[in-house]
Amino acid sequence: MRALDLFSGIGGFSLGLERAGFETVAFCEIEDFPRRVLAKHWPGVPIYDDVRTLTAARLVRDEVGHPELICGGFPCQDISLAGRMSGIDGAKSGLWSEYRRLIEEIRPRFVVIENSPVLRSRGLDQMLSELAALGYDAEWHCVPANALGAPHRRDRIWIVAYPAGFGDRLPQGQVCSGRNLSQYGDWWASEPEICRVDDGTPGRVDRLAALGNAVVSQIPELIGRAIMAAEVSRLQAAA
């Protein structure tokens, strides 16, 4: 299946989904440094620079077409406890409305969304209502990075949406079940320090910001594998 990666950052979503068998057909990322990272690791894949100007018609015109999956974590600054706390209608987190618009225009089979777990009390009910109005059911789970062996918690909410009435829904709890997480074993090995400099100017600022905004790619990989398994079951049942 083909994926459109919104609010892409440095490609953590696509890295995980491609391990599960997806193909990334386009990115959308507004910051320059992450776009350069994406261009290096996904040469030839279109990178749009503003979700507000991206449309289904433009994707068709650019021969990207309508992907089967849309993924991305829209900005959490107005949702997170460390942010403005103005909720999903804030200046940054309000970009959810553009995400929702693209879902309505493209009508993907699956949508995968990531955000701060505080979203549960600052906008999740509104999102679910809007997805339902578009004809989508949704499931959600909070999955921390340390559930996959990371030496830090980084708890995030993960939402999987699909057309209402989809026969082979992802079983509740499948994404973060012990059976799925056990494949990653114990704690991760220590990671290298990021301390490059260029003419005395720390080059780590952009890198640290990009890493700080990135998702833990093993989690979208798990979700992608669960979606692929559900699709196989659906096709086998229809055969």
Side-chain angles (χ1 to χ4, degrees):
M1 285 190 285
R2 299 167 302 153
L4 167 63
D5 190 336
L6 303 178
F7 309 101
S8 308
I10 56 175
F13 246 115
S14 286
L15 181 61
L17 288 174
E18 290 189 352
R19 289 174 184 155
F22 287 81
E23 176 193 3
T24 303
V25 293
F27 294 100
C28 187
E29 170 56 44
I30 198 167
E31 297 293 338
D32 177 68
F33 177 76
R35 283 205 309 272
R36 286 188 277 128
V37 173
L38 296 173
K40 176 181 178 180
H41 293 286
W42 281 272
V45 176
I47 305 171
Y48 299 95
D49 63 1
D50 195 335
V51 70
R52 295 167 295 185
T53 60
L54 183 60
T55 65
R58 186 176 179 187
L59 291 172
V60 171
R61 188 167 60 249
D62 293 345
E63 299 184 349
V64 173
H66 286 184
E68 290 77 26
L69 181 143
I70 300 178
C71 66
F74 63 93
C76 66
Q77 288 94 325
D78 301 303
I79 296 168
S80 170
L81 292 175
R84 301 177 181 89
M85 300 173 63
S86 53
I88 200 171
D89 295 318
K92 296 285 189 179
S93 300
L95 287 173
W96 156 249
S97 64
E98 301 294 342
Y99 201 148
R100 182 197 63 228
R101 173 184 58 78
L102 285 167
I103 295 170
E104 183 175 15
E105 292 180 8
I106 296 171
R107 308 298 301 179
R109 286 193 56 75
F110 295 96
V111 181
V112 184
I113 305 166
E114 175 265 0
N115 212 281
S116 164
V118 183
L119 179 66
R120 289 174 294 178
S121 59
R122 289 207 178 96
L124 180 59
D125 54 346
Q126 177 181 331
M127 288 177 60
L128 296 176
S129 175
E130 292 175 355
L131 285 168
L134 297 178
Y136 286 82
D137 287 336
E139 300 176 13
W140 59 96
H141 310 274
C142 285
V143 186
N146 62 0
L148 288 87
H152 53 89
R153 182 166 177 80
R154 191 170 175 78
D155 201 6
R156 310 296 285 173
I157 189 171
W158 298 82
I159 304 165
V160 180
Y162 40 78
F166 176 56
D168 293 303
R169 300 179 184 184
L170 304 178
Q172 195 75 11
Q174 178 175 340
V175 170
C176 55
S177 69
R179 176 176 59 83
N180 284 335
L181 298 180
S182 62
Q183 64 182 293
Y184 290 99
D186 298 323
W187 294 104
W188 294 352
S190 297
E191 299 177 6
E193 293 184 0
I194 304 173
C195 53
R196 302 177 190 175
V197 297
D198 181 17
D199 296 329
T201 301
R204 60 183 296 173
V205 176
D206 284 344
R207 293 184 178 89
L208 287 178
L211 288 170
N213 290 329
V215 302
V216 175
S217 62
Q218 287 90 339
I219 299 176
E221 179 183 351
L222 287 178
I223 295 172
R225 291 186 185 280
I227 289 173
M228 285 294 194
E231 278 290 273
V232 169
S233 296
R234 180 184 68 84
L235 293 172
Q236 288 175 341

